[in-house]
Amino acid sequence: TPDWPSRCTWKPNADPKTSPHTKETRQPRPKIFPDILKTVGETPLVRLNRIPQAEGLKCDVFVKCEYFNPGGSVKDRIGIRMLEDAEKKGLIKPGDTLIEPSSGNTGIGVALACAVKGYRCIIVMAMKMSNEKVNVLKALGAEIVRVPTEAAFDSPEGSLAVAQRLRDATPNSYILNQYKNSGNPLAHYDHTAMEIYEQCDGKIDMVVIGAGTGGTVTGIGRRLKELIPNVQVIASDPYGSILAAPDNLNEGGVGFYEVEGIGYDFIPVVLDRSVVDKWVKTTDKESFIMAKRLIREEGLLSGGSSGANVAAALKAAKNLKEGQKCVVILPDSIRNYLTKFVSEEWMEAKRYISPENIHNHSWWDDKVSNLQLEKP
Ligand code: PMP
């Protein structure tokens, strides 16, 4: 049976002698990096200049561009952290096989580290996830096993049960298991949160973060609350997922949705819902339209869950005042979805835009001309 309920061993205020936290202090970026894995993190924080203003927000909205990581997503941080933690504990060594259930981005982070360090890598991924992710994983040398999207988390066809069967059948293999691995929230508690804190000079009023495993929201949320007790932690969760609380927000219960990487049909061990002040449910349509607006109006080449987070932020930050700061995580990029929401034919086939809007950009042009850009 799946070992989901095992405890996450993460202790945020642990005794320094036994603490699992990173001991190294942050260093300025070197001129030359010894390998690509060292470029993970220290991602840019960028101001939104059009969308929040057009939607009547008074506060500043800043986005943390996690797609600047070398594998293209926020999950590079944990792929490398979990692998190196396991190496330090002597659990794995180059030549071994790492098997990971993933919606793709953790898989890419783990596969990137495996390529650099010399491990075999097998990623177990639901059918729903994009072919772009499959091709990136294959290019990194990973083997891929697909499982049915509709398989429940605890079913024998689910990604964890399949990963466990593969592990049992493969000598010298190991599952890092992002759903219960302390390295997942710790990567964000030790690094992502501190980067945001310093980038904002310690003044942050709200953070908006989508939850999949919940590692990002748990790690960033807990650290920022220790540093800034009044910060509001907002989590986005798609309809069709049941991560949001209170439960009556999860209208319709477990169901299919298109946005990748966020939402689940169970509460992962690494998700601490007590750090979240408010959950905002999101639809596929608003997420993809917002992702397209981020690309078109702000030049931010982000993915679908980035659109969900910004859509949630626009609702949650309505009452913030001028001078207050709202930080939104952009977890991955356009690269993973070139044949999905980036394609207008796909958007029309899914009924997110109407046929007359395919290759007819007048609706964007109206918005842009309203901004009265200076003519050269
Ligand atoms: N967005 C995308 C695109 C992702 O791949 C993930 C990771 N599953 C998330 C958001 C959510 O991150 P976390 O697992 O830390 O909750």
Side-chain angles (χ1 to χ4, degrees), residues 73-75 78 103-106 133 178 184 188 209-217 260-262 264 304-306 309 331-332 336-337:
S73 89
V74 66
K75 307 296 284 195
I78 75 149
S103 61
N105 281 324
T106 299
K133 288 173 178 169
Q178 57 173 334
N184 176 359
H188 302 295
I209 305 169
T213 65
T216 315
V217 69
E260 297 179 33
I262 49 175
Y264 272 107
S305 72
S306 303
N309 288 350
D332 75 349
N336 284 341
Y337 313 104

Side-chain angles (χ1 to χ4, degrees), residues 239 257-259 282-292 304 307-308 311 341 346-347 350-354 363:
Y239 285 105
Y257 51 92
E258 284 284 354
V259 176
T282 55
T283 65
D284 283 336
K285 181 174 175 176
E286 68 181 337
S287 304
F288 292 132
I289 297 279
M290 189 55 71
K292 282 176 108 54
F341 82 85
W346 187 92
M347 287 290 279
K350 299 282 176 186
R351 302 284 179 270
Y352 301 136
I353 59 172
S354 47
W363 58 306

Side-chain angles (χ1 to χ4, degrees), residues 2-20:
D3 55 2
W4 295 108
S6 348
R7 298 243 57 85
C8 169
T9 55
W10 183 33
K11 301 216 171 40
N13 298 311
D15 172 348
K17 283 197 247 31
T18 55
S19 166

Side-chain angles (χ1 to χ4, degrees), residues 83-143:
L83 193 154
E84 292 188 339
D85 281 357
E87 280 184 330
K88 281 177 200 147
K89 288 181 195 153
L91 298 168
I92 55 170
K93 55 179 182 329
D96 290 352
T97 301
L98 294 186
I99 304 169
E100 187 66 14
S102 164
S103 61
N105 281 324
T106 299
I108 292 169
V110 171
L112 184 74
C114 286
V116 171
K117 288 169 175 276
Y119 290 82
R120 180 181 172 207
C121 180
I122 305 175
I123 300 303
V124 184
M125 198 162 81
M127 290 303 298
K128 157 180 154 176
M129 309 309 167
S130 75
N131 288 329
E132 287 82 344
K133 288 173 178 169
V134 170
N135 287 336
V136 173
L137 283 164
K138 282 187 183 160
L140 285 166
E143 294 151 74

Side-chain angles (χ1 to χ4, degrees), residues 39-243:
T39 70
V40 168
E42 305 293 339
T43 53
L45 191 67
V46 178
R47 183 172 198 271
L48 294 189
N49 295 302
R50 288 179 171 167
I51 296 171
Q53 293 77 355
E55 299 301 322
L57 261 69
K58 307 233 164 24
C59 65
D60 285 319
V61 179
F62 302 126
V63 290
K64 179 83 169 151
C65 298
E66 286 298 306
Y67 57 85
F68 273 66
N69 282 304
S73 89
V74 66
K75 307 296 284 195
D76 289 354
R77 295 175 183 267
I78 75 149
I80 292 156
R81 171 72 180 249
M82 294 191 304
L83 193 154
E84 292 188 339
D85 281 357
E87 280 184 330
K88 281 177 200 147
K89 288 181 195 153
L91 298 168
I92 55 170
K93 55 179 182 329
D96 290 352
T97 301
L98 294 186
I99 304 169
E100 187 66 14
S102 164
S103 61
N105 281 324
T106 299
I108 292 169
V110 171
L112 184 74
C114 286
V116 171
K117 288 169 175 276
Y119 290 82
R120 180 181 172 207
C121 180
I122 305 175
I123 300 303
V124 184
M125 198 162 81
M127 290 303 298
K128 157 180 154 176
M129 309 309 167
S130 75
N131 288 329
E132 287 82 344
K133 288 173 178 169
V134 170
N135 287 336
V136 173
L137 283 164
K138 282 187 183 160
L140 285 166
E143 294 151 74
I144 296 146
V145 176
R146 304 302 290 261
V147 297
T149 301
E150 57 285 359
F153 76 96
D154 54 357
S155 91
E157 266 80 60
S159 60
L160 189 74
V162 169
Q164 285 169 332
R165 286 205 295 280
L166 282 166
R167 177 192 58 197
D168 294 345
T170 312
N172 303 320
S173 67
Y174 189 79
I175 302 176
L176 296 166
N177 198 349
Q178 57 173 334
Y179 301 98
K180 61 167 199 164
N181 190 312
S182 315
N184 176 359
L186 273 168
H188 302 295
Y189 182 97
D190 287 344
H191 294 279
T192 326
M194 291 315 295
E195 292 171 25
I196 296 170
Y197 183 76
E198 285 172 25
Q199 285 166 319
C200 290
D201 295 321
K203 294 193 192 72
I204 307 162
D205 298 283
M206 181 179 282
V207 281
V208 185
I209 305 169
T213 65
T216 315
V217 69
T218 301
I220 296 177
R222 229 193 245 181
R223 186 58 171 274
L224 287 184
K225 282 197 163 173
E226 286 169 15
L227 296 162
I228 314 167
N230 289 332
V231 72
Q232 292 181 61
V233 177
I234 312 295
S236 76
D237 184 46
Y239 285 105
S241 159
I242 50 85
L243 296 182

Side-chain angles (χ1 to χ4, degrees), residues 226-333:
E226 286 169 15
L227 296 162
I228 314 167
N230 289 332
V231 72
Q232 292 181 61
V233 177
I234 312 295
S236 76
D237 184 46
Y239 285 105
S241 159
I242 50 85
L243 296 182
D247 212 25
N248 62 10
L249 288 177
N250 301 317
E251 227 175 277
V254 172
F256 181 79
Y257 51 92
E258 284 284 354
V259 176
E260 297 179 33
I262 49 175
Y264 272 107
D265 58 344
F266 70 104
I267 309 295
V269 173
V270 293
L271 170 59
D272 176 0
R273 294 198 290 178
S274 74
V275 307
V276 178
D277 295 299
K278 187 171 181 234
W279 289 84
V280 178
K281 297 295 284 191
T282 55
T283 65
D284 283 336
K285 181 174 175 176
E286 68 181 337
S287 304
F288 292 132
I289 297 279
M290 189 55 71
K292 282 176 108 54
R293 289 188 66 186
L294 285 166
I295 296 166
R296 177 65 181 85
E297 296 174 44
E298 305 274 358
L300 294 157
L301 299 180
S302 52
S305 72
S306 303
N309 288 350
V310 173
L314 293 180
K315 292 175 203 167
K318 277 252 172 322
N319 294 329
L320 292 187
K321 299 187 184 63
E322 213 178 308
Q324 290 194 294
K325 291 181 197 162
C326 172
V327 172
V328 188
I329 302 292
L330 305 187
D332 75 349
S333 86

